[in-house]
Amino acid sequence: MAAEAALPSSDMFDEIVMADERFHGEGYEEGYAEGSHVGVVEGRRYGSLHGAKMGSEIGCYLGFALTWQCLLQKCMDEKNSKKIRALDSLIGMIQKFPYEDPTYDKLQEDLEKIRGKFKQNRNAFDPWQRAPWRKTGNKGTQRHPLVKMDFSKLNLIQ
């Protein structure tokens, strides 16, 4: 009978001694579950933000290419046909880009190729490179006589 009375008190001490370990385990499980949930929410927000930036960037490239393609269709010559082929190449790359598959393993590589092709096209269409007022000589870049305003004196960047 004395042994039966001793058992409940030893269970009580075991509960007290093991409480630290039990609470540690329960806290870990609760923290892990909450951290997983917060991680998913934060990952979704991060993915949405960067996906929107990427979509906006690619949309800008597509708008550039389609605009120049429409403008060049009006005056076809050998020089413009090369530019149109380059634009068609950029448009084709953009149309093949996997927008719907974020797990695509070459997503960044393809995006870098599109950026490179865009820069190549942008440089071919840059009106400032061949503008008549961009005459260089001993004095550096000079304005064309018809351009009256000196844009270098404007404080556009504050």
Side-chain angles (χ1 to χ4, degrees):
M1 193 127 176
E4 291 177 14
L7 282 176
S9 65
S10 68
D11 287 341
M12 185 186 332
F13 287 120
D14 284 343
E15 285 181 26
I16 293 171
V17 170
M18 301 302 284
D20 182 42
E21 193 170 312
R22 189 181 83 233
F23 289 141
H24 178 72
E26 289 174 6
Y28 174 81
E29 293 297 324
E30 288 176 15
Y32 185 83
E34 185 177 332
S36 295
H37 175 70
V38 170
V40 167
V41 170
E42 186 177 335
R44 185 174 293 130
R45 184 174 45 241
Y46 180 83
S48 296
L49 174 68
H50 287 279
K53 285 180 182 179
M54 187 182 300
S56 176
E57 178 183 358
I58 292 174
C60 179
Y61 299 157
L62 184 61
F64 169 87
L66 292 174
T67 301
W68 275 107
Q69 189 180 42
C70 288
L71 291 172
L72 292 176
Q73 294 291 339
K74 295 178 182 178
C75 52
M76 286 294 295
D77 60 0
E78 181 63 30
K79 189 176 178 184
N80 288 341
S81 68
K82 286 182 180 181
K83 291 179 180 180
I84 289 176
R85 282 195 303 271
L87 289 169
D88 288 339
S89 174
L90 175 61
I91 292 169
M93 291 172 75
I94 291 171
Q95 289 173 342
K96 291 178 188 172
F97 191 75
Y99 300 102
E100 300 295 323
D101 186 12
T103 61
Y104 178 63
D105 56 342
K106 294 185 178 182
L107 189 77
Q108 291 298 322
E109 292 174 27
D110 287 354
L111 183 58
E112 287 301 320
K113 288 178 184 176
I114 290 172
R115 286 176 178 150
K117 183 59 81 171
F118 168 73
K119 288 176 184 176
Q120 184 181 28
N121 278 291
R122 183 193 62 200
N123 291 339
F125 293 100
D126 188 6
W128 292 100
Q129 288 181 345
R130 293 172 304 284
W133 58 86
R134 300 265 315 192
K135 297 177 183 176
T136 56
N138 294 341
K139 298 179 183 177
T141 303
Q142 299 175 353
R143 289 181 292 124
H144 190 273
L146 296 178
V147 178
K148 301 292 184 192
M149 186 170 191
D150 185 6
F151 293 100
S152 64
K153 293 183 180 176
L154 290 176
N155 288 329
L156 298 176
I157 301 174
Q158 303 267 338

